[in-house]
Amino acid sequence: EITDDLAMLQSFFQKADTQEFKNEIKRIAEIICSRQKVFFIGIGTSGTLGKYGARFLSNLGIKALYIDDPFYPAEGGDYRDTVIVTLSVSGEQPILHKQISGFKDGKALIVSITNTRQCTLANISDYNISYYIPMKVLPGQYNVTSQVPLVYILESIAYKCKAIKEKNKNNE
């Protein structure tokens, strides 16, 4: 089983090493850098990693916050200068879709990071990046899909944001 996990991660990292994937990371970093407010959201393990993503980005000088309540009322707000980074393996959490709809109605840009583009969350997002690895769900519906690709994506986006901010600062 460990061999299968290593093969799966090797396959992901081969994809991550392509120019197309690097361009997706850059595009999302540019979006994040273009907004004044950055919020991460997610549920379960994805939520925990959303907290990590917000902290990692903040550690690099790009202030970001994490919303840990999937019932946070997003309706009726003005989010024109906000990007919402939404994390979900399946992309099929109805409560998350409702929350995203509220942010979208307030004109926030929505970036989702999901396991596949063939999910509701990816479809309702303005931008999506997906990592395509086999999902693992234990009895009782406990999702234990590897989060290594997500951590790599979050850190790559954060480092690219830092580089963009430094370049913009040097050009002032």
Side-chain angles (χ1 to χ4, degrees), residues 3-23:
T3 305
D4 291 343
D5 289 344
L6 288 175
M8 173 265 306
L9 289 173
Q10 287 172 331
S11 176
F12 165 74
F13 283 112
Q14 285 174 342
K15 177 187 173 207
D17 198 33
T18 65
Q19 194 58 50
E20 179 183 356
F21 196 84
K22 290 174 185 177
N23 289 343

Side-chain angles (χ1 to χ4, degrees), residues 11 27 33-34 49 62 64 118 123 134-135 149 152-153 159 162:
S11 176
R27 180 182 50 170
C33 288
S34 74
L49 288 167
I62 296 95
Q118 289 72 45
N123 290 331
M135 285 185 58
Y152 175 81
I153 291 168
Y159 283 124
K162 181 174 174 39

Side-chain angles (χ1 to χ4, degrees), residues 6 28 30 37 49 51 54 59 71 74 76 78 82 84-85 99 101-102 121 129 143 167 170-171:
L6 288 175
I28 290 171
E30 289 169 344
K37 298 176 199 139
L49 288 167
K51 190 179 290 187
N59 285 349
F71 300 100
D78 180 358
T82 304
I84 306 294
V85 181
Q99 194 174 41
S101 292
L121 181 58
I129 187 166
N143 192 323
K167 182 180 177 188
N170 290 337
N171 289 339

Side-chain angles (χ1 to χ4, degrees), residues 9-143:
L9 289 173
Q10 287 172 331
S11 176
F12 165 74
F13 283 112
Q14 285 174 342
K15 177 187 173 207
D17 198 33
T18 65
Q19 194 58 50
E20 179 183 356
F21 196 84
K22 290 174 185 177
N23 289 343
E24 288 184 60
I25 295 286
K26 181 181 179 197
R27 180 182 50 170
I28 290 171
E30 289 169 344
I31 291 163
I32 289 172
C33 288
S34 74
R35 298 294 169 124
Q36 289 294 314
K37 298 176 199 139
V38 181
F39 294 108
F40 283 77
I41 62 173
I43 298 172
T45 305
S46 294
T48 300
L49 288 167
K51 190 179 290 187
Y52 172 77
R55 178 56 190 243
F56 196 85
L57 202 57
S58 292
N59 285 349
L60 293 175
I62 296 95
K63 297 303 174 211
L65 299 170
Y66 169 68
I67 297 173
D68 65 355
D69 181 358
F71 300 100
Y72 180 87
E75 298 84 10
D78 180 358
Y79 304 109
R80 281 179 281 205
D81 206 18
T82 304
V83 61
I84 306 294
V85 181
T86 311
L87 313 177
S88 176
V89 174
S90 72
E92 297 300 343
Q93 297 290 337
I95 190 66
L96 205 53
H97 304 157
K98 183 177 186 289
Q99 194 174 41
I100 291 302
S101 292
F103 285 119
K104 278 190 75 107
D105 289 346
K107 306 298 184 221
L109 274 180
I110 308 299
V111 170
S112 63
I113 305 173
T114 57
N115 189 38
T116 176
R117 281 192 170 90
Q118 289 72 45
C119 66
T120 304
L121 181 58
N123 290 331
I124 64 173
S125 299
D126 298 299
Y127 302 92
N128 173 266
I129 187 166
S130 299
Y131 41 92
Y132 295 103
I133 62 168
M135 285 185 58
K136 290 184 183 177
V137 180
L138 299 177
Q141 301 300 306
Y142 297 108
N143 192 323

